[in-house]
Amino acid sequence: MSDSFQDALAGLAAIVGDKHVMASGADQEPYVVDWRGRYRGRAVAAVKPGSTAEVASVVKYCADRRLAIVPQGGNTGMCGAATPDDHAGNVVIRLDRMRAVRDVSPLANTITVEAGCILAEVQNAARSVDRYFPLSLGAEGSCQIGGNISTNAGGTAVLRYGPTRDLVLGLEVVLPDGRIFNGLRALRKDNTGYAFKQLFIGAEGTLGIVTAAVLKLFSPPRSSALALVKLRGVEQALEIMQRLRGVVGDRLGSLEIMSRSQIEAIAETVPHVTIPFELTTPWYLIVELTDTLAGVDLDEPLATVLADAMEAGIAEDVILASNLAQAKAIWAVRHSVSEGNKRSGYVVSHDSVVPLERQAAFVTNVEARIMAAVPHARVVMHGHIGDGNIHVIALIDRAHCREPAATAALVAQINEIVDDETAAQGGAISAEHGIGITNCGRLARVADPLDIELMRGIKRLLDPNGLMNPGKIFGAGAA
C-alpha cells in the first residue's frame, strides 16, 4: 500500500476510531464483493462511522483527497450498485453502527430512523407502537433502510402502498463535499420549492449518502386472507385482479406471480423450503387481502371471487390458506426465488416493467425469443403482477459460462432480447432493482438521450469531481 493510502487510513481512523476502519484483505472481503459473487472491487478501506457528523467528516476527508466514496447498505442489491470498482483509491462507507430509531409518532404515523437500520428492525419498531411499515422483501432481515431508499426498493406491497419513494417524508443526506442536507421533516404537505429528497431516492448513492429518514407508517393489517391460484397464463391473473378490485378495492394487498419453472428451480435447490402444492399448471398466483379492522371476514369474498373465476374457466384450481402456517409456507416459496436462482446456475436477471395490458404479450414473446436464441437457457419468471413488474431470468448452466468473454456475449445477447421486447411493449428496463454496474450499458442503449443529459447535469452539479459511487448508472469514468 502506498504512503498516501497509509496516510489516508490514519486520517480515517482519527475520525471513526481504529476498530472501525477495515484495511486488510480478510476484513474487507464482505465489503468489496457483492452477495452473488458477481462483482469484486478494491478499496483503501471500509469505514463504519457512528454518526451523521462522522459520515460528513469522512466524506469531506475523502473529497479533499480525491478518494472515491462507495456508500454501502446491507450489500443485498441485484445490480452491483454497492460494490467498489477495481481502482485502488476507493473508500467504502458502511452505516452499520447507525441503527437508532430516533423517533416514532403514532399520532403522525411516522418513524424517524438512521440509515443503518435493518428493514426488519424498522418493521418491528413500528409494530411496537401498533403501526405498520409496509416495505417487505426477501432480504428484509439483512438489507438496510438507507440502501432501500437509495435503490427505491419495491417489494411485495407496492400494489397497495407504493414503492419506497412513496413511503419517504424526509431525508438527511451527506452531500459529496461533506455538507449535510437536513430535510428530516415529517410533513405530509410541504410545497416550499423543489422536493430535494426525491433526487436521492433511487440515486444509488451517486449524489450523496442517506444517513436518516422520516418514513410513513400505517395502521397494521388485523385481518387477512391468502390464496394460491393455479393459472394457464398471465392474462388470467390480470382478469382475477380486475375482479378482485371490483369487489374488495384497496383490501387487495399483494398479487405475486411465479412461473412453474421458477418454482421448480426452488424445489430442486432450496431443501429447507417445501412446495405446499402440486405443480400442475404453467403459472401460480399468490393473492393476499388485508384489512385494518379486526375480525373482518376476508376469506368469504376471496373465496367467492376465485370460485367464480374457476367457474368461468379463468382459474384452474385454488388453494385457500386455512391458517397462518399455511400462508407462511406459501410466502416462503415466493421469498426463496433469489436463493433458488443463484443455486440453479449463472443468473441473467431482468427487472422489466410494462403496462398491465401488455404483460401477457411480454412474457410470451420474451420467453419465445430467448429460447430461440439460447436453447440451453432455462427461463424462469416471477413478479409483482399488479404493478407491471415481471422479472425475467435466464438460468445458464455454469458449464456454458467458463470463459468471461463468451459469458459476456451471451448475457448481452439475452439482455438485448429482453430490452427490445420491453421497449416494444412500452415498458422500462428497471422497476425496482436499479442500474448499478449491471445495467449501465443497457440504460445507455435504451434511454432517451435527454434523460441521460439531465441526469448527468444533476450529477455534475452535486458531485463535480465524480467521486460519489463512481461507475454506477453512467458507467466507468463517467461523472
Side-chain angles (χ1 to χ4, degrees):
M1 183 177 291
S2 69
D3 290 343
S4 62
F5 287 166
Q6 289 287 1
D7 291 343
L9 290 175
L12 293 168
I15 297 171
V16 303
D18 288 332
K19 67 179 180 179
H20 303 305
V21 177
M22 280 63 68
S24 68
D27 289 341
Q28 275 192 13
E29 183 72 11
Y31 312 118
V32 297
V33 182
D34 76 308
W35 71 275
R36 292 190 297 178
R38 185 77 49 93
Y39 303 108
R40 176 181 292 273
R42 292 192 293 166
V44 177
V47 183
K48 296 184 178 180
S51 66
T52 300
E54 286 190 359
V55 175
S57 294
V58 169
V59 169
K60 187 175 188 313
Y61 182 90
C62 292
D64 289 345
R65 289 154 183 81
R66 298 294 177 93
L67 295 170
I69 300 159
V70 182
Q72 188 177 97
N75 199 17
T76 62
M78 301 295 290
C79 301
T83 306
D85 61 22
D86 61 358
H87 293 91
N90 293 309
V91 175
V92 176
I93 298 182
R94 296 269 308 196
L95 302 189
D96 305 71
R97 297 170 61 208
M98 296 179 59
R99 296 172 65 165
V101 176
R102 295 184 184 177
D103 181 67
V104 185
S105 174
L107 174 64
N109 266 349
T110 62
I111 184 169
T112 304
V113 300
E114 293 183 338
C117 274
I118 302 299
L119 174 55
E121 295 172 351
V122 180
Q123 296 168 344
N124 291 335
R127 196 174 296 119
S128 70
V129 294
D130 195 31
R131 292 295 183 267
Y132 176 60
F133 184 63
L135 182 62
S136 179
L137 44 121
E140 61 192 31
S142 57
C143 62
Q144 296 178 4
I145 196 67
N148 299 145
I149 292 167
S150 295
T151 56
N152 188 28
T156 57
V158 169
L159 185 63
R160 183 167 183 176
Y161 297 98
T164 302
R165 188 179 299 280
D166 293 344
L167 304 175
V168 176
L169 288 172
L171 288 180
E172 176 185 84
V173 183
V174 174
L175 300 178
D177 60 4
R179 289 180 296 170
I180 300 171
F181 166 69
N182 186 359
L184 281 181
R185 291 185 289 273
L187 301 175
R188 300 278 171 161
K189 299 171 73 175
D190 182 356
N191 201 24
T192 52
Y194 300 146
F196 292 118
K197 68 180 181 186
Q198 297 296 351
L199 284 175
F200 305 103
I201 303 172
E204 301 182 17
T206 61
L207 302 179
I209 302 177
V210 174
T211 51
V214 183
L215 307 170
K216 295 179 184 177
L217 299 181
F218 300 83
S219 298
R222 294 184 172 88
S223 302
S224 65
L226 185 136
L228 180 104
V229 187
K230 299 183 178 184
L231 304 168
R232 296 189 309 276
V234 169
E235 56 271 27
Q236 283 76 41
L238 296 170
E239 175 64 25
I240 288 172
M241 180 185 74
Q242 187 168 320
R243 289 177 175 231
L244 283 166
R245 279 181 164 166
V247 174
V248 302
D250 285 344
R251 290 186 176 95
L252 180 55
S254 296
L255 206 63
E256 297 290 306
I257 199 164
M258 295 176 285
S259 67
R260 176 172 177 160
S261 57
Q262 175 65 88
I263 300 173
E264 288 172 338
I266 296 167
E268 293 165 8
T269 61
V270 189
H272 65 270
V273 173
T274 300
I275 310 301
F277 45 86
E278 288 187 272
L279 299 181
T280 55
T281 55
W283 291 93
Y284 298 81
L285 182 71
I286 299 173
V287 182
E288 184 173 57
L289 308 185
T290 60
D291 199 294
T292 59
L293 295 175
V296 174
D297 182 6
L298 296 175
D299 288 316
E300 191 277 330
L302 181 58
T304 298
V305 171
L306 295 180
D308 290 345
M310 287 186 64
E311 187 174 343
I314 298 168
E316 300 299 300
D317 195 9
V318 173
I319 301 171
L320 290 167
S322 58
N323 53 55
L324 182 60
Q326 191 174 12
K328 285 184 175 180
I330 292 172
W331 273 120
V333 179
R334 173 61 183 87
H335 287 312
S336 299
V337 295
S338 294
E339 183 178 2
N341 291 342
K342 180 182 177 182
R343 295 181 178 188
S344 296
Y346 188 92
V347 179
V348 186
S349 180
H350 305 90
D351 181 34
S352 299
V353 56
V354 299
L356 296 184
E357 295 83 358
R358 306 282 187 87
Q359 282 191 309
F362 171 72
V363 299
T364 299
N365 294 351
V366 79
E367 180 173 21
R369 291 178 64 178
I370 292 174
M371 294 309 300
V374 190
H376 60 268
R378 182 181 188 180
V379 178
V380 306
M381 300 189 201
H382 65 271
H384 321 291
I385 187 75
D387 58 35
N389 182 199
I390 292 285
H391 300 291
V392 178
I393 296 100
L395 301 177
I396 310 297
D397 190 303
R398 290 189 174 88
H400 293 280
C401 299
R402 290 172 179 160
E403 297 296 328
T407 301
L410 181 64
V411 170
Q413 181 183 17
I414 295 171
N415 286 346
E416 187 168 330
I417 290 170
V418 176
D419 293 347
D420 286 350
E421 189 60 40
T422 300
Q425 302 299 338
I429 66 168
S430 179
E432 60 183 0
H433 290 168
I435 303 302
I437 299 171
T438 305
N439 297 324
C440 289
R442 297 173 62 202
L443 180 69
R445 177 175 173 267
V446 303
D448 186 323
L450 179 58
D451 289 352
I452 300 294
E453 180 184 336
L454 292 172
M455 286 193 287
R456 285 184 181 276
I458 294 169
K459 173 71 169 172
R460 284 193 296 269
L461 177 65
L462 293 178
D463 183 21
N465 295 317
L467 297 177
M468 190 62 69
N469 213 9
K472 314 310 190 307
I473 299 182
F474 305 109

